[in-house]
mmCIF file of all heavy atoms in Angstrom:
data_model
loop_
_atom_site.group_PDB
_atom_site.id
_atom_site.type_symbol
_atom_site.label_atom_id
_atom_site.label_comp_id
_atom_site.label_asym_id
_atom_site.label_seq_id
_atom_site.Cartn_x
_atom_site.Cartn_y
_atom_site.Cartn_z
ATOM 1 N N GLU A 408 28.033 21.888 11.069
ATOM 2 C CA GLU A 408 29.225 22.705 11.202
ATOM 3 C C GLU A 408 30.212 22.434 10.076
ATOM 4 O O GLU A 408 30.892 23.356 9.600
ATOM 5 C CB GLU A 408 29.919 22.398 12.552
ATOM 6 C CG GLU A 408 29.224 22.980 13.740
ATOM 7 C CD GLU A 408 29.925 22.586 15.027
ATOM 8 O OE1 GLU A 408 30.872 21.788 15.016
ATOM 9 O OE2 GLU A 408 29.547 23.171 16.087
ATOM 10 N N ASP A 409 30.246 21.192 9.558
ATOM 11 C CA ASP A 409 31.134 20.809 8.489
ATOM 12 C C ASP A 409 30.526 21.114 7.092
ATOM 13 O O ASP A 409 31.124 20.791 6.073
ATOM 14 C CB ASP A 409 31.512 19.355 8.580
ATOM 15 C CG ASP A 409 32.373 19.060 9.774
ATOM 16 O OD1 ASP A 409 32.891 20.002 10.379
ATOM 17 O OD2 ASP A 409 32.509 17.888 10.129
ATOM 18 N N GLY A 410 29.324 21.695 7.099
ATOM 19 C CA GLY A 410 28.673 22.014 5.843
ATOM 20 C C GLY A 410 28.078 20.862 5.077
ATOM 21 O O GLY A 410 27.745 20.950 3.901
ATOM 22 N N LEU A 411 27.927 19.709 5.799
ATOM 23 C CA LEU A 411 27.378 18.534 5.172
ATOM 24 C C LEU A 411 25.844 18.489 5.236
ATOM 25 O O LEU A 411 25.184 17.700 4.547
ATOM 26 C CB LEU A 411 27.933 17.263 5.835
ATOM 27 C CG LEU A 411 29.444 17.054 5.618
ATOM 28 C CD1 LEU A 411 29.985 15.968 6.542
ATOM 29 C CD2 LEU A 411 29.692 16.705 4.162
ATOM 30 N N ASP A 412 25.230 19.326 6.098
ATOM 31 C CA ASP A 412 23.788 19.347 6.202
ATOM 32 C C ASP A 412 23.363 20.781 6.523
ATOM 33 O O ASP A 412 24.171 21.659 6.831
ATOM 34 C CB ASP A 412 23.311 18.411 7.306
ATOM 35 C CG ASP A 412 21.877 17.945 7.117
ATOM 36 O OD1 ASP A 412 21.209 18.488 6.194
ATOM 37 O OD2 ASP A 412 21.440 17.003 7.849
ATOM 38 N N PHE A 413 22.038 20.986 6.400
ATOM 39 C CA PHE A 413 21.488 22.316 6.653
ATOM 40 C C PHE A 413 20.041 22.135 7.037
ATOM 41 O O PHE A 413 19.488 21.040 6.911
ATOM 42 C CB PHE A 413 21.593 23.211 5.399
ATOM 43 C CG PHE A 413 20.881 22.638 4.187
ATOM 44 C CD1 PHE A 413 19.559 22.945 3.946
ATOM 45 C CD2 PHE A 413 21.558 21.769 3.313
ATOM 46 C CE1 PHE A 413 18.920 22.414 2.862
ATOM 47 C CE2 PHE A 413 20.891 21.264 2.243
ATOM 48 C CZ PHE A 413 19.554 21.535 1.978
ATOM 49 N N GLY A 414 19.415 23.196 7.518
ATOM 50 C CA GLY A 414 18.008 23.122 7.874
ATOM 51 C C GLY A 414 17.771 22.922 9.395
ATOM 52 O O GLY A 414 18.695 22.644 10.128
ATOM 53 N N LYS A 415 16.533 23.038 9.766
ATOM 54 C CA LYS A 415 16.173 22.940 11.208
ATOM 55 C C LYS A 415 16.167 21.494 11.640
ATOM 56 O O LYS A 415 16.059 20.549 10.845
ATOM 57 C CB LYS A 415 14.799 23.565 11.404
ATOM 58 C CG LYS A 415 14.736 25.049 11.070
ATOM 59 C CD LYS A 415 13.340 25.617 11.323
ATOM 60 C CE LYS A 415 13.249 27.150 11.013
ATOM 61 N NZ LYS A 415 11.910 27.669 11.209
ATOM 62 N N GLY A 416 16.201 21.314 12.981
ATOM 63 C CA GLY A 416 16.065 19.992 13.581
ATOM 64 C C GLY A 416 17.178 19.073 13.102
ATOM 65 O O GLY A 416 18.348 19.391 13.165
ATOM 66 N N LYS A 417 16.775 17.919 12.675
ATOM 67 C CA LYS A 417 17.767 16.900 12.222
ATOM 68 C C LYS A 417 18.608 17.411 11.058
ATOM 69 O O LYS A 417 19.754 16.989 10.894
ATOM 70 C CB LYS A 417 17.039 15.606 11.752
ATOM 71 C CG LYS A 417 16.403 14.821 12.882
ATOM 72 C CD LYS A 417 15.745 13.579 12.309
ATOM 73 C CE LYS A 417 15.100 12.732 13.370
ATOM 74 N NZ LYS A 417 14.421 11.496 12.853
ATOM 75 N N GLY A 418 17.984 18.279 10.244
ATOM 76 C CA GLY A 418 18.709 18.725 9.012
ATOM 77 C C GLY A 418 17.974 18.081 7.803
ATOM 78 O O GLY A 418 17.552 16.938 7.849
ATOM 79 N N ASP A 419 17.915 18.864 6.731
ATOM 80 C CA ASP A 419 17.200 18.378 5.550
ATOM 81 C C ASP A 419 17.800 17.143 4.932
ATOM 82 O O ASP A 419 17.078 16.206 4.507
ATOM 83 C CB ASP A 419 17.143 19.498 4.504
ATOM 84 C CG ASP A 419 16.240 20.657 4.920
ATOM 85 O OD1 ASP A 419 15.637 20.537 5.982
ATOM 86 O OD2 ASP A 419 16.139 21.644 4.174
ATOM 87 N N ILE A 420 19.075 17.030 4.834
ATOM 88 C CA ILE A 420 19.736 15.890 4.196
ATOM 89 C C ILE A 420 19.666 14.688 5.069
ATOM 90 O O ILE A 420 19.341 13.600 4.632
ATOM 91 C CB ILE A 420 21.228 16.246 3.873
ATOM 92 C CG1 ILE A 420 21.290 17.347 2.854
ATOM 93 C CG2 ILE A 420 21.922 15.009 3.330
ATOM 94 C CD1 ILE A 420 22.706 17.792 2.449
ATOM 95 N N THR A 421 19.880 14.844 6.377
ATOM 96 C CA THR A 421 19.769 13.736 7.315
ATOM 97 C C THR A 421 18.340 13.166 7.261
ATOM 98 O O THR A 421 18.192 11.923 7.194
ATOM 99 C CB THR A 421 20.110 14.197 8.752
ATOM 100 O OG1 THR A 421 21.426 14.616 8.812
ATOM 101 C CG2 THR A 421 19.871 13.048 9.728
ATOM 102 N N ARG A 422 17.378 14.019 7.288
ATOM 103 C CA ARG A 422 15.967 13.618 7.237
ATOM 104 C C ARG A 422 15.662 12.818 5.974
ATOM 105 O O ARG A 422 14.996 11.795 5.995
ATOM 106 C CB ARG A 422 15.052 14.820 7.379
ATOM 107 C CG ARG A 422 13.626 14.489 7.685
ATOM 108 C CD ARG A 422 12.790 15.727 7.925
ATOM 109 N NE ARG A 422 13.243 16.423 9.142
ATOM 110 C CZ ARG A 422 13.894 17.607 9.091
ATOM 111 N NH1 ARG A 422 14.228 18.179 7.969
ATOM 112 N NH2 ARG A 422 14.244 18.214 10.230
ATOM 113 N N PHE A 423 16.215 13.282 4.850
ATOM 114 C CA PHE A 423 15.976 12.645 3.563
ATOM 115 C C PHE A 423 16.651 11.268 3.494
ATOM 116 O O PHE A 423 16.080 10.279 3.105
ATOM 117 C CB PHE A 423 16.472 13.535 2.445
ATOM 118 C CG PHE A 423 16.154 13.033 1.066
ATOM 119 C CD1 PHE A 423 14.850 12.917 0.597
ATOM 120 C CD2 PHE A 423 17.191 12.689 0.182
ATOM 121 C CE1 PHE A 423 14.573 12.464 -0.678
ATOM 122 C CE2 PHE A 423 16.926 12.240 -1.089
ATOM 123 C CZ PHE A 423 15.615 12.125 -1.513
ATOM 124 N N LEU A 424 17.912 11.203 3.931
ATOM 125 C CA LEU A 424 18.651 9.952 3.909
ATOM 126 C C LEU A 424 18.094 8.953 4.928
ATOM 127 O O LEU A 424 18.162 7.735 4.692
ATOM 128 C CB LEU A 424 20.136 10.209 4.171
ATOM 129 C CG LEU A 424 20.876 10.985 3.078
ATOM 130 C CD1 LEU A 424 22.337 11.247 3.461
ATOM 131 C CD2 LEU A 424 20.804 10.252 1.738
ATOM 132 N N GLU A 425 17.581 9.434 5.980
ATOM 133 C CA GLU A 425 16.939 8.575 6.974
ATOM 134 C C GLU A 425 15.674 7.907 6.309
ATOM 135 O O GLU A 425 15.408 6.732 6.534
ATOM 136 C CB GLU A 425 16.532 9.385 8.231
ATOM 137 C CG GLU A 425 16.005 8.466 9.354
ATOM 138 C CD GLU A 425 15.677 9.307 10.620
ATOM 139 O OE1 GLU A 425 15.305 10.504 10.459
ATOM 140 O OE2 GLU A 425 15.794 8.746 11.721
ATOM 141 N N ARG A 426 14.978 8.729 5.571
ATOM 142 C CA ARG A 426 13.778 8.248 4.906
ATOM 143 C C ARG A 426 14.147 7.178 3.849
ATOM 144 O O ARG A 426 13.372 6.252 3.608
ATOM 145 C CB ARG A 426 13.078 9.449 4.211
ATOM 146 C CG ARG A 426 11.760 9.128 3.535
ATOM 147 C CD ARG A 426 11.205 10.401 2.903
ATOM 148 N NE ARG A 426 9.999 10.134 2.193
ATOM 149 C CZ ARG A 426 9.425 11.026 1.374
ATOM 150 N NH1 ARG A 426 10.028 12.167 1.197
ATOM 151 N NH2 ARG A 426 8.319 10.711 0.732
ATOM 152 N N LEU A 427 15.363 7.266 3.274
ATOM 153 C CA LEU A 427 15.770 6.277 2.297
ATOM 154 C C LEU A 427 16.402 5.027 2.939
ATOM 155 O O LEU A 427 16.739 4.085 2.258
ATOM 156 C CB LEU A 427 16.837 6.914 1.373
ATOM 157 C CG LEU A 427 16.372 8.059 0.437
ATOM 158 C CD1 LEU A 427 17.557 8.507 -0.409
ATOM 159 C CD2 LEU A 427 15.225 7.616 -0.435
ATOM 160 N N GLY A 428 16.524 5.088 4.268
ATOM 161 C CA GLY A 428 17.066 3.912 4.981
ATOM 162 C C GLY A 428 18.600 3.846 4.973
ATOM 163 O O GLY A 428 19.194 2.835 5.235
ATOM 164 N N LEU A 429 19.233 5.005 4.700
ATOM 165 C CA LEU A 429 20.707 5.045 4.571
ATOM 166 C C LEU A 429 21.388 5.457 5.850
ATOM 167 O O LEU A 429 22.594 5.181 6.053
ATOM 168 C CB LEU A 429 21.131 5.962 3.454
ATOM 169 C CG LEU A 429 20.715 5.499 2.012
ATOM 170 C CD1 LEU A 429 20.969 6.589 0.990
ATOM 171 C CD2 LEU A 429 21.479 4.239 1.648
ATOM 172 N N VAL A 430 20.681 6.166 6.746
ATOM 173 C CA VAL A 430 21.259 6.544 8.027
ATOM 174 C C VAL A 430 20.219 6.288 9.095
ATOM 175 O O VAL A 430 19.044 6.253 8.849
ATOM 176 C CB VAL A 430 21.734 7.998 8.088
ATOM 177 C CG1 VAL A 430 22.804 8.270 7.041
ATOM 178 C CG2 VAL A 430 20.540 8.942 7.897
ATOM 179 N N ALA A 431 20.712 6.126 10.345
ATOM 180 C CA ALA A 431 19.849 6.027 11.493
ATOM 181 C C ALA A 431 20.241 7.089 12.486
ATOM 182 O O ALA A 431 21.429 7.365 12.705
ATOM 183 C CB ALA A 431 20.000 4.639 12.097
ATOM 184 N N VAL A 432 19.268 7.741 13.115
ATOM 185 C CA VAL A 432 19.526 8.809 14.043
ATOM 186 C C VAL A 432 19.092 8.408 15.451
ATOM 187 O O VAL A 432 17.972 7.949 15.645
ATOM 188 C CB VAL A 432 18.759 10.137 13.661
ATOM 189 C CG1 VAL A 432 19.081 11.249 14.597
ATOM 190 C CG2 VAL A 432 19.111 10.493 12.189
ATOM 191 N N SER A 433 20.015 8.575 16.392
ATOM 192 C CA SER A 433 19.731 8.245 17.778
ATOM 193 C C SER A 433 20.511 9.198 18.700
ATOM 194 O O SER A 433 21.734 9.386 18.540
ATOM 195 C CB SER A 433 20.143 6.793 18.102
ATOM 196 O OG SER A 433 19.920 6.489 19.448
ATOM 197 N N ASP A 434 19.806 9.839 19.611
ATOM 198 C CA ASP A 434 20.432 10.749 20.584
ATOM 199 C C ASP A 434 21.286 11.818 19.855
ATOM 200 O O ASP A 434 22.395 12.113 20.229
ATOM 201 C CB ASP A 434 21.333 9.984 21.560
ATOM 202 C CG ASP A 434 20.492 9.095 22.445
ATOM 203 O OD1 ASP A 434 19.338 9.427 22.741
ATOM 204 O OD2 ASP A 434 21.018 7.984 22.801
ATOM 205 N N LYS A 435 20.722 12.352 18.804
ATOM 206 C CA LYS A 435 21.341 13.418 18.023
ATOM 207 C C LYS A 435 22.650 12.979 17.347
ATOM 208 O O LYS A 435 23.495 13.833 17.031
ATOM 209 C CB LYS A 435 21.599 14.690 18.903
ATOM 210 C CG LYS A 435 20.292 15.329 19.397
ATOM 211 C CD LYS A 435 20.550 16.584 20.124
ATOM 212 C CE LYS A 435 19.238 17.230 20.598
ATOM 213 N NZ LYS A 435 19.470 18.494 21.343
ATOM 214 N N ASN A 436 22.798 11.688 17.147
ATOM 215 C CA ASN A 436 23.962 11.158 16.443
ATOM 216 C C ASN A 436 23.474 10.375 15.225
ATOM 217 O O ASN A 436 22.457 9.703 15.272
ATOM 218 C CB ASN A 436 24.779 10.252 17.345
ATOM 219 C CG ASN A 436 25.646 11.042 18.318
ATOM 220 O OD1 ASN A 436 26.552 11.744 17.882
ATOM 221 N ND2 ASN A 436 25.325 10.957 19.587
ATOM 222 N N VAL A 437 24.230 10.465 14.121
ATOM 223 C CA VAL A 437 23.857 9.842 12.863
ATOM 224 C C VAL A 437 24.849 8.716 12.607
ATOM 225 O O VAL A 437 26.086 8.899 12.693
ATOM 226 C CB VAL A 437 23.882 10.848 11.708
ATOM 227 C CG1 VAL A 437 23.547 10.144 10.401
ATOM 228 C CG2 VAL A 437 22.958 12.030 12.005
ATOM 229 N N ALA A 438 24.337 7.529 12.233
ATOM 230 C CA ALA A 438 25.197 6.394 11.917
ATOM 231 C C ALA A 438 24.719 5.816 10.580
ATOM 232 O O ALA A 438 23.522 5.801 10.306
ATOM 233 C CB ALA A 438 25.119 5.342 13.021
ATOM 234 N N PRO A 439 25.643 5.350 9.755
ATOM 235 C CA PRO A 439 25.250 4.735 8.468
ATOM 236 C C PRO A 439 24.642 3.340 8.702
ATOM 237 O O PRO A 439 25.025 2.634 9.652
ATOM 238 C CB PRO A 439 26.584 4.613 7.735
ATOM 239 C CG PRO A 439 27.623 4.559 8.794
ATOM 240 C CD PRO A 439 27.120 5.366 9.922
ATOM 241 N N THR A 440 23.706 3.008 7.892
ATOM 242 C CA THR A 440 23.091 1.675 7.975
ATOM 243 C C THR A 440 23.863 0.722 7.066
ATOM 244 O O THR A 440 24.744 1.126 6.306
ATOM 245 C CB THR A 440 21.626 1.728 7.511
ATOM 246 O OG1 THR A 440 21.599 2.096 6.141
ATOM 247 C CG2 THR A 440 20.828 2.679 8.338
ATOM 248 N N LYS A 441 23.509 -0.565 7.171
ATOM 249 C CA LYS A 441 24.143 -1.573 6.289
ATOM 250 C C LYS A 441 23.891 -1.209 4.841
ATOM 251 O O LYS A 441 24.774 -1.396 3.969
ATOM 252 C CB LYS A 441 23.524 -2.953 6.603
ATOM 253 C CG LYS A 441 24.038 -4.047 5.693
ATOM 254 C CD LYS A 441 23.274 -5.381 5.990
ATOM 255 C CE LYS A 441 23.670 -6.451 5.002
ATOM 256 N NZ LYS A 441 22.877 -7.698 5.219
ATOM 257 N N LEU A 442 22.698 -0.675 4.525
ATOM 258 C CA LEU A 442 22.388 -0.296 3.181
ATOM 259 C C LEU A 442 23.301 0.772 2.664
ATOM 260 O O LEU A 442 23.662 0.797 1.475
ATOM 261 C CB LEU A 442 20.914 0.186 3.145
ATOM 262 C CG LEU A 442 20.365 0.579 1.752
ATOM 263 C CD1 LEU A 442 20.450 -0.561 0.783
ATOM 264 C CD2 LEU A 442 18.911 1.076 1.928
ATOM 265 N N ALA A 443 23.717 1.709 3.514
ATOM 266 C CA ALA A 443 24.607 2.803 3.113
ATOM 267 C C ALA A 443 25.937 2.250 2.677
ATOM 268 O O ALA A 443 26.493 2.653 1.664
ATOM 269 C CB ALA A 443 24.814 3.791 4.270
ATOM 270 N N TYR A 444 26.465 1.289 3.419
ATOM 271 C CA TYR A 444 27.740 0.668 3.040
ATOM 272 C C TYR A 444 27.634 -0.021 1.704
ATOM 273 O O TYR A 444 28.541 0.077 0.842
ATOM 274 C CB TYR A 444 28.190 -0.331 4.127
ATOM 275 C CG TYR A 444 28.741 0.316 5.369
ATOM 276 C CD1 TYR A 444 27.918 0.463 6.498
ATOM 277 C CD2 TYR A 444 30.068 0.736 5.478
ATOM 278 C CE1 TYR A 444 28.414 1.077 7.646
ATOM 279 C CE2 TYR A 444 30.554 1.355 6.609
ATOM 280 C CZ TYR A 444 29.707 1.512 7.711
ATOM 281 O OH TYR A 444 30.176 2.067 8.850
ATOM 282 N N GLU A 445 26.543 -0.760 1.514
ATOM 283 C CA GLU A 445 26.349 -1.503 0.284
ATOM 284 C C GLU A 445 26.200 -0.546 -0.920
ATOM 285 O O GLU A 445 26.764 -0.769 -1.973
ATOM 286 C CB GLU A 445 25.142 -2.413 0.395
ATOM 287 C CG GLU A 445 24.935 -3.279 -0.851
ATOM 288 C CD GLU A 445 24.017 -4.427 -0.625
ATOM 289 O OE1 GLU A 445 23.340 -4.454 0.434
ATOM 290 O OE2 GLU A 445 23.994 -5.332 -1.469
ATOM 291 N N LEU A 446 25.426 0.485 -0.714
ATOM 292 C CA LEU A 446 25.207 1.447 -1.784
ATOM 293 C C LEU A 446 26.499 2.146 -2.242
ATOM 294 O O LEU A 446 26.779 2.251 -3.400
ATOM 295 C CB LEU A 446 24.201 2.534 -1.341
ATOM 296 C CG LEU A 446 23.903 3.618 -2.385
ATOM 297 C CD1 LEU A 446 22.397 3.842 -2.502
ATOM 298 C CD2 LEU A 446 24.595 4.918 -2.048
ATOM 299 N N LEU A 447 27.318 2.545 -1.269
ATOM 300 C CA LEU A 447 28.577 3.188 -1.598
ATOM 301 C C LEU A 447 29.559 2.212 -2.274
ATOM 302 O O LEU A 447 30.363 2.587 -3.155
ATOM 303 C CB LEU A 447 29.244 3.807 -0.353
ATOM 304 C CG LEU A 447 28.545 5.068 0.182
ATOM 305 C CD1 LEU A 447 29.298 5.540 1.442
ATOM 306 C CD2 LEU A 447 28.507 6.158 -0.865
ATOM 307 N N SER A 448 29.476 0.945 -1.874
ATOM 308 C CA SER A 448 30.325 -0.081 -2.527
ATOM 309 C C SER A 448 29.957 -0.188 -4.015
ATOM 310 O O SER A 448 30.865 -0.244 -4.900
ATOM 311 C CB SER A 448 30.160 -1.394 -1.804
ATOM 312 O OG SER A 448 30.907 -2.397 -2.458
ATOM 313 N N ILE A 449 28.658 -0.264 -4.278
ATOM 314 C CA ILE A 449 28.235 -0.382 -5.676
ATOM 315 C C ILE A 449 28.443 0.921 -6.401
ATOM 316 O O ILE A 449 28.692 0.913 -7.625
ATOM 317 C CB ILE A 449 26.754 -0.846 -5.737
ATOM 318 C CG1 ILE A 449 26.563 -2.184 -4.991
ATOM 319 C CG2 ILE A 449 26.268 -0.973 -7.148
ATOM 320 C CD1 ILE A 449 25.118 -2.583 -4.782
#
Side-chain angles (χ1 to χ4, degrees):
E408 288 177 350
D409 292 346
L411 293 168
D412 204 352
F413 59 91
K415 297 179 180 179
K417 290 181 180 179
D419 290 357
I420 297 179
T421 297
R422 194 175 294 109
F423 186 64
L424 293 178
E425 186 178 32
R426 185 179 176 192
L427 295 180
L429 294 170
V430 299
V432 182
S433 178
D434 296 327
K435 296 185 178 181
N436 282 294
V437 180
T440 63
K441 176 185 175 184
L442 181 59
Y444 285 97
E445 183 163 14
L446 180 134
L447 287 179
S448 175
I449 301 172

